[in-house]
Amino acid sequence: MAPEWPIGESKTYQQKLLIPGTNKRKLFGILEKPNLPPSAPSVTYKIFMFGKASSGKTWTMNRLSGQELPSQHIETAGIQCSNVYWPMKIGNRLILFRLEIWDAGDSSVKRYNHILPACREGVDAVLLCFSVIDRESWTELPRLLSSATQPADRAAKIAVATRYDQFSHREVTEAEMESFEAVHGVPILKLGGTGDDHSDELTHTAPILNFLCKRLWQRDQELLSVKQ
Amino acid sequence: ASCTLVGLSATSGVPLFVRHTGHGKPPAYALIGSLNGIHVFGESHGVTLCTTRTHNANLIWKTYHDSIRLILIRGSETVGDSCDGSLLDLMFASLVLLLGLETLTSATNVERLKRDIRPCYVLLDELLSRAMGCEDHHGFSHLTGCAECLIPSEQHNLQNELEKFAEGADSTYGCVMMQGHVLCGTRNFWSLSHTELVLLPLLVASNTFTVARDLPIYLPNKSPNVPFRMLVIRLTGLISVVTLCGPTPTLTEMMRAASSFWAPSYQTLEALSSLLPCNISPSLLSHLDNAIIGLILVNYDHKKCVSCVHLSEESRSRCLSVNRKVAALRSVYRSVVGPLLQPPAMPPEDFPSRLHPDHVPLESYVSTDNYKVYILQSSPYHLLVLFPPALPIHIARQVSIRTLAVFTKGKVPKI
């Protein structure tokens, strides 16, 4: 049995993710990574954003990576990937999580058959997106749940409700979402515009990233214990 | 000021998309219908409606392959001109770039076509913003028809590395880009057409928040019906490497290959960020005269252009902001290159013939209250130099001639 080490965030090292002198997160190129002590190991997880057009996939990806949020919906062309670095403390050890997020545009997925397999291959978690102001994207959710991954991946599944701040246009009730979570065992992350306070995006996003990293780590532990 | 692009199906008149920048709202559905109606009316009488001007707008119509009609509406004080025709050509080419010519022109399902066109909005919006002179949309490639470049101090190493990297990815078309400018390209990359060299960097620069992309694209001139996969890998915060590939390598393989291949060059790549915002290596910059406050150099043979609007920032000529310098250079380019000097790289078919068939103009200048621009032509170059308004023109001429020599003679990296 793998021991249950406490897993928590590392506020000190979160500062290393920022552009010096600002509180905006740096966009690290593929040759770069945050300046953490070299002894801290790095773990990579592949996450796939899945959902119909305009369900908020690209918005969510940018929210997680701390980049500028799109102000209007422009459909994604092809596949785009973001790296989200997040330091966590597991037991006493500092570990750098790298979340490699894959996002593909709906029409590209339909037109080109190499795109979906490339996104799904070796995936560790799937974020199923739906918009709370679009009823159709909610009713699609169960179907997305079953078609998102191959069972062999045993990918962690998490649903993301986007545009949660738009109360007046909401077409999905809280009760429905709670019932979904209970029935399918899939947690729903609720994301929406953070209002005009753009200054401290890291503090707003930290809980979501902590949740994701914990979930991914737990899945790893479960898979390891199954092997044994 | 505002600028609107309307796309319609030429056969059925159904609007496919409307993109709008600037003040006011985009035109209503009914208005779009009328705009198309006038064109169709003309056609039925054997007349092709090209352009028109109203109280407060300039309009230009252009039909492509008898299936897509584009209408550009400029609602502003600035007069539209022949460059608008080239702009529409670029916008049509943007549609081909992401959809393919076949899909675009022989679409049977209009709703599906409308959905498929949506990813093109990014490029169309960028071109519209440039046409309108929006802040922070600096760039001259849409006017010159050449790729917007940087002149680093040492080109050869990066070039060799890129050729090796592209070969490893089974690709002959590759380039390294920094913030929308091309740092270097493989030999075959420079064999792409003017349109392709203008649009590909725009497409790469349109996405600033991701670390890797796999985009199916169709080269409008070289391969309008067979797609390539454009793989873009962001190596550092500012620099990306782009390759046009076939079915292999996969994006995952490419990310790994790029990490290991370019890791040794990390310091070199980081150091290149000092080229911004001037776009020209410090050693070349040091040879430029202090009077110069902005310039554009175009080499039409090599399909490259380089511009700099951050010169002499500290000097007395604080009257012109960066945006106004860009506007000045663009306005002079549009009015002089083509009508007076050798036509730009992508002349539209309805281009007016030269003013004087017996004499080839070589130099020109524009003098206004706020600036002076001296323009030199010396095949295959055009050089436009921006000066403060007080500088006497004969001095501007001498400085411009010296400047052209700085860029073209001696052992300097050339464009």
Side-chain angles (χ1 to χ4, degrees):
Chain A
M1 278 292 249
E4 279 293 319
W5 284 318
I7 168 168
E9 63 180 326
S10 165
K11 283 200 154 74
T12 27
Y13 286 105
Q14 281 169 17
Q15 298 305 308
K16 301 283 185 182
L17 299 174
L18 305 173
I19 301 172
T22 69
N23 49 14
K24 286 180 68 173
R25 272 194 272 170
K26 181 174 167 169
L27 179 64
F28 294 98
I30 217 155
L31 302 178
E32 303 169 313
K33 56 193 231 177
N35 193 8
L36 261 60
S39 56
S42 180
V43 285
T44 302
Y45 292 98
K46 179 170 172 179
I47 301 183
F48 176 36
M49 310 290 307
F50 199 48
K52 74 181 264 259
S54 195
S55 52
K57 302 184 289 292
T58 307
W59 190 94
T60 304
M61 183 180 76
N62 280 18
R63 177 75 196 278
L64 294 175
S65 61
Q67 301 307 308
E68 202 177 307
L69 298 171
S71 51
Q72 52 165 328
H73 172 248
I74 290 192
E75 182 141 343
T76 306
I79 308 175
Q80 51 189 20
C81 289
S82 284
N83 269 340
V84 183
Y85 285 99
W86 195 245
M88 296 286 279
K89 266 209 152 73
I90 301 191
N92 266 337
R93 270 191 113 184
L94 177 68
I95 300 198
L96 181 63
F97 280 67
R98 177 166 79 90
L99 306 179
E100 194 180 271
I101 306 186
W102 288 58
D103 171 27
D106 209 38
S107 51
S108 299
V109 164
K110 294 194 166 96
R111 279 187 80 189
Y112 303 100
N113 23 21
H114 69 279
I115 293 195
L116 199 54
C119 291
R120 292 215 279 224
E121 190 192 350
V123 81
D124 294 303
V126 179
L127 292 182
L128 303 156
C129 296
F130 69 94
S131 165
V132 297
I133 62 172
D134 175 9
R135 181 87 194 163
E136 207 187 301
S137 65
W138 164 253
T139 49
E140 283 266 299
L141 199 56
R143 188 189 66 82
L144 287 185
L145 201 51
S146 49
S147 64
T149 58
Q150 339 275 41
D153 282 321
R154 303 209 221 191
K157 294 182 200 173
I158 299 165
V160 179
T162 59
R163 301 191 181 88
Y164 207 73
D165 55 314
Q166 297 185 27
F167 306 116
S168 45
H169 303 288
R170 226 186 258 181
E171 294 180 3
V172 183
T173 65
E174 304 249 3
E176 286 179 300
M177 287 194 268
E178 273 172 38
S179 144
F180 179 91
E181 283 178 310
V183 166
H184 296 277
V186 170
I188 302 185
L189 284 175
K190 299 164 179 91
L191 299 181
T194 44
D196 289 320
D197 181 16
H198 299 301
S199 56
D200 203 359
E201 136 332 278
L202 198 63
T203 316
H204 290 297
T205 318
I208 305 167
L209 289 170
N210 290 335
F211 175 82
L212 275 175
C213 292
K214 279 188 192 155
R215 185 71 195 84
L216 288 163
W217 187 259
Q218 275 164 0
R219 168 182 167 265
D220 266 3
Q221 302 310 304
E222 282 160 23
L223 289 179
L224 276 175
S225 61
V226 164
K227 274 193 186 145
Q228 285 159 2
Chain B
S2 69
C3 208
T4 312
L5 175 71
V6 174
L8 303 143
S9 158
T11 41
S12 59
V14 175
L16 298 170
F17 61 86
V18 178
R19 301 310 292 171
H20 177 83
T21 31
H23 294 311
K25 290 204 287 253
Y29 196 83
L31 180 60
I32 295 172
S34 315
L35 290 177
N36 189 49
I38 309 170
H39 193 277
V40 169
F41 177 75
E43 270 182 338
S44 66
H45 286 69
V47 168
T48 309
L49 179 59
C50 296
T51 68
T52 193
R53 203 189 298 182
T54 72
H55 259 326
N56 48 13
N58 287 289
L59 294 96
I60 169 171
W61 285 258
K62 217 158 179 189
T63 309
Y64 296 89
H65 300 268
D66 289 327
S67 72
I68 303 282
R69 181 163 299 136
L70 297 181
I71 310 176
L72 186 71
I73 308 168
R74 270 185 188 275
S76 68
E77 315 77 39
T78 61
V79 178
D81 54 33
S82 49
C83 288
D84 279 346
S86 309
L87 190 68
L88 278 184
D89 291 343
L90 268 179
M91 288 173 168
F92 179 71
S94 310
L95 299 176
V96 176
L97 188 71
L98 291 172
L99 262 73
L101 193 57
E102 188 74 43
T103 312
L104 195 54
T105 53
S106 44
T108 41
N109 185 338
V110 169
E111 288 307 311
R112 178 128 179 228
L113 182 60
K114 280 196 211 175
R115 190 195 70 200
D116 286 344
I117 287 183
R118 279 193 247 137
C120 307
Y121 290 175
V122 172
L123 273 180
L124 296 177
D125 288 349
E126 173 62 29
L127 287 170
L128 276 177
S129 297
R130 282 201 180 181
M132 244 214 25
C134 289
E135 291 206 11
D136 301 327
H137 291 266
H138 304 153
F140 301 92
S141 57
H142 63 294
L143 288 175
T144 62
C146 300
E148 203 107 30
C149 296
L150 298 164
I151 307 186
S153 39
E154 174 45 75
Q155 274 183 319
H156 307 289
N157 255 349
L158 205 55
Q159 177 84 21
N160 288 340
E161 291 297 293
L162 175 64
E163 299 271 3
K164 272 192 281 180
F165 180 72
E167 206 183 339
D170 260 335
S171 160
T172 52
Y173 303 104
C175 72
V176 176
M177 283 187 52
M178 179 156 71
Q179 277 209 340
H181 295 87
V182 179
L183 262 171
C184 65
T186 58
R187 222 182 17 245
N188 262 3
F189 179 77
W190 295 112
S191 73
L192 291 174
S193 71
H194 294 284
T195 307
E196 290 156 357
L197 289 173
V198 171
L199 291 180
L200 285 178
L202 279 185
L203 187 58
V204 172
S206 66
N207 184 311
T208 51
F209 47 82
T210 56
V211 101
R213 296 161 76 193
D214 176 342
L215 277 160
I217 60 151
Y218 299 78
L219 294 173
N221 299 95
K222 250 195 172 78
S223 155
N225 288 312
V226 179
F228 281 87
R229 284 166 63 232
M230 181 169 90
L231 300 182
V232 183
I233 307 286
R234 185 177 298 269
L235 298 174
T236 71
L238 294 171
I239 298 187
S240 300
V241 65
V242 183
T243 43
L244 297 184
C245 301
T248 56
T250 64
L251 188 58
T252 311
E253 286 165 8
M254 186 55 135
M255 289 199 271
R256 293 209 192 102
S259 298
S260 50
F261 185 93
W262 292 98
S265 312
Y266 181 67
Q267 297 301 336
T268 318
L269 294 174
E270 269 295 272
L272 286 169
S273 57
S274 64
L275 278 177
L276 298 172
C278 290
N279 305 336
I280 299 171
S281 73
S283 55
L284 264 181
L285 275 181
S286 59
H287 287 115
L288 295 181
D289 197 293
N290 281 339
I292 303 177
I293 60 175
L295 64 85
I296 308 177
L297 176 67
V298 190
N299 181 335
Y300 294 104
D301 279 353
H302 290 175
K303 300 179 230 168
K304 298 183 189 182
C305 70
V306 74
S307 65
C308 183
V309 287
H310 290 87
L311 293 169
S312 296
E313 301 267 74
E314 337 71 38
S315 76
R316 325 132 234 149
S317 57
R318 266 174 322 232
C319 49
L320 279 189
S321 66
V322 167
N323 283 319
R324 291 182 67 189
K325 287 190 202 177
V326 170
L329 284 168
R330 279 184 186 163
S331 146
V332 169
Y333 189 95
R334 289 166 68 115
S335 57
V336 169
V337 176
L340 211 57
L341 299 185
Q342 164 194 318
M346 303 180 293
E349 316 84 55
D350 53 348
F351 218 80
S353 56
R354 284 196 307 223
L355 287 177
H356 303 281
D358 299 325
H359 307 283
V360 178
L362 292 176
E363 299 177 16
S364 174
Y365 69 85
V366 171
S367 175
T368 77
D369 283 344
N370 297 313
Y371 59 81
K372 284 194 169 82
V373 176
Y374 205 87
I375 306 104
L376 282 179
Q377 168 165 300
S378 166
S379 200
Y381 294 102
H382 270 160
L383 174 67
L384 285 79
V385 190
L386 184 69
F387 295 100
L391 193 78
I393 270 297
H394 63 278
I395 308 266
R397 178 171 187 269
Q398 286 166 22
V399 171
S400 302
I401 294 177
R402 272 205 305 271
T403 308
L404 187 59
V406 164
F407 281 107
T408 57
K409 304 214 180 345
K411 282 188 163 308
V412 292
K414 303 199 174 50
I415 69 154

